[in-house]
Amino acid sequence: MENTHFGEDYHEYFDARKYLEMKQKYWDEDRQFHDLLFRMKEKGYLSGEWLLEIGGGPCINRLISLTDVFPKIVFAEYTAAGRKEVQKWKENEPGAFDWSKHFKHVAGLHNAKKNWEDLEQMLRERIIEVIPCDVESEHIIKQENGRLFDAIVIASCLEFACSTRDSYESSVRKVYSMIRPGGTLVHFGRIGGHYYNVGNEKFFALDVDEKFVTSAYEKAGFEIKEKFRINEGDKASTQVDDHNDNKQIADAQFRMLMIAKKPANSEE
């Protein structure tokens, strides 16, 4: 991890605003994510009351397709900078990042049955907590009631937060323990590569392949229901930062969206 940031370095070097600006380059990837997750929702994989996102960074876009399903959403993020951006958006404060393009797209998937501004306001109201998390801690989030969640979204998190494959598998087991029997896991992450850049700062990424990621979730007890590759051989590794001498943003091979279930007959 020489010359790359990891772990507590995020508190000093991770620029949440630059990350959000960089995200605009990944609209095609995000659009595919929205479309696929909407399909998974329509197939009945996602239902319940409580939804948790782990390690969401400064981004709320992974939650948009699930807004109308879960009335209570907890957003957990490692960095204070990321939490601040999400809280700013939730409170509709001046200078909050504009996610309207995403809301308009998802609202359109409902065949004009939903107004994008209503969907946006619904998500603001349904995010009831924005809290810290750390996947390498004994308890990923701190909660006194030991609540089990009906669904968990974990997107672009484990490969950046875990330094080894053992740590990755340990984190997946902890995630498994946080979902109710019969609940759903939405995993979205990169496959392959060793880094990503935010502005002038380079951050570590754990090099994982599809077989390992699938195995990690299966060994924890999950049943894999669906898997999709996004931007394979296309933009996953070739996007460049126009404002930083065309530096390559990341070296991933592709992104993978995976839907998994915790067996209904499993012990809590």
Side-chain angles (χ1 to χ4, degrees):
M1 288 187 282
E2 186 178 358
N3 298 322
T4 60
H5 301 307
F6 178 76
E8 293 187 356
D9 294 343
Y10 272 81
H11 298 306
E12 181 177 355
Y13 294 103
F14 181 76
D15 188 321
R17 197 68 193 188
K18 284 185 179 179
Y19 183 85
L20 287 170
E21 293 169 359
M22 180 186 75
K23 278 287 294 176
Q24 298 181 75
K25 284 185 164 289
Y26 286 84
W27 167 245
D28 182 62
E29 175 182 298
D30 288 337
R31 178 190 56 77
Q32 292 179 67
F33 175 88
H34 291 316
D35 293 351
L36 288 168
L37 193 55
F38 183 83
R39 280 170 47 192
M40 298 302 97
K41 180 179 69 173
E42 294 294 288
K43 290 180 73 170
Y45 285 125
L46 294 137
S47 63
E49 183 178 18
W50 285 93
L51 171 66
L52 169 68
E53 176 160 13
I54 296 173
C59 306
I60 54 85
N61 56 312
R62 307 302 181 200
L63 300 171
I64 297 174
S65 292
L66 305 179
T67 299
D68 59 341
V69 177
F70 298 96
K72 297 177 181 179
I73 300 173
V74 177
F75 185 95
E77 160 56 12
Y78 181 66
T79 68
R83 297 194 299 273
K84 181 179 179 180
E85 288 292 340
V86 171
Q87 194 68 46
K88 185 189 298 184
W89 177 85
K90 172 178 164 54
E91 301 301 328
N92 200 16
E93 295 178 5
F97 190 75
D98 181 9
W99 294 102
S100 60
K101 184 176 184 178
H102 295 256
F103 282 97
K104 290 175 182 177
H105 180 78
V106 173
L109 297 175
H110 291 85
N111 296 321
K113 294 179 182 178
K114 290 190 181 295
N115 178 283
W116 75 267
E117 292 172 310
D118 292 341
L119 192 64
E120 184 179 50
Q121 184 58 33
M122 182 185 293
L123 182 54
R124 285 193 170 108
E125 294 172 354
R126 291 190 167 191
I127 296 177
I128 60 174
E129 287 186 292
V130 179
I131 62 173
C133 70
D134 184 348
V135 298
E136 293 209 309
S137 293
E138 181 181 359
H139 302 288
I140 293 178
I141 61 173
K142 295 180 180 180
Q143 55 174 353
E144 296 179 358
N145 56 15
R147 175 188 299 114
L148 295 179
F149 291 88
D150 299 295
I152 291 179
V153 174
I154 186 159
S156 300
C157 171
L158 295 184
E159 58 269 35
F160 302 137
C162 300
S163 58
T164 66
R165 290 191 169 198
D166 285 345
S167 173
Y168 189 108
E169 291 181 331
S170 174
S171 296
V172 171
R173 290 193 295 271
K174 284 180 279 190
V175 171
Y176 181 85
S177 71
M178 299 167 70
I179 298 182
R180 67 163 175 82
T184 305
L185 184 285
V186 177
H187 168 94
F188 184 66
R190 54 182 271 162
I191 298 296
H194 302 86
Y195 71 89
Y196 74 102
N197 292 302
V198 180
N200 291 318
E201 306 300 337
K202 188 175 185 179
F203 294 87
F204 167 81
L206 182 65
D207 185 11
V208 295
D209 54 53
E210 183 175 348
K211 181 178 180 181
F212 168 76
V213 173
T214 302
S215 174
Y217 281 94
E218 289 178 332
K219 287 197 293 186
F222 286 104
E223 297 175 347
I224 310 302
K225 297 298 183 182
E226 306 270 2
K227 284 197 303 182
F228 305 92
R229 292 184 176 190
I230 294 178
N231 280 350
E232 183 176 11
D234 185 17
K235 298 181 180 179
S237 61
T238 59
Q239 287 284 19
V240 295
D241 184 349
D242 296 334
H243 302 291
N244 194 23
D245 298 324
N246 285 329
K247 180 187 293 184
Q248 186 169 300
I249 291 175
D251 64 342
Q253 296 172 10
F254 59 90
R255 306 294 195 273
M256 182 174 73
L257 173 64
M258 183 170 68
I259 306 296
K261 300 284 286 188
K262 183 174 183 175
N265 61 354
S266 63
E267 295 182 2
E268 296 185 1

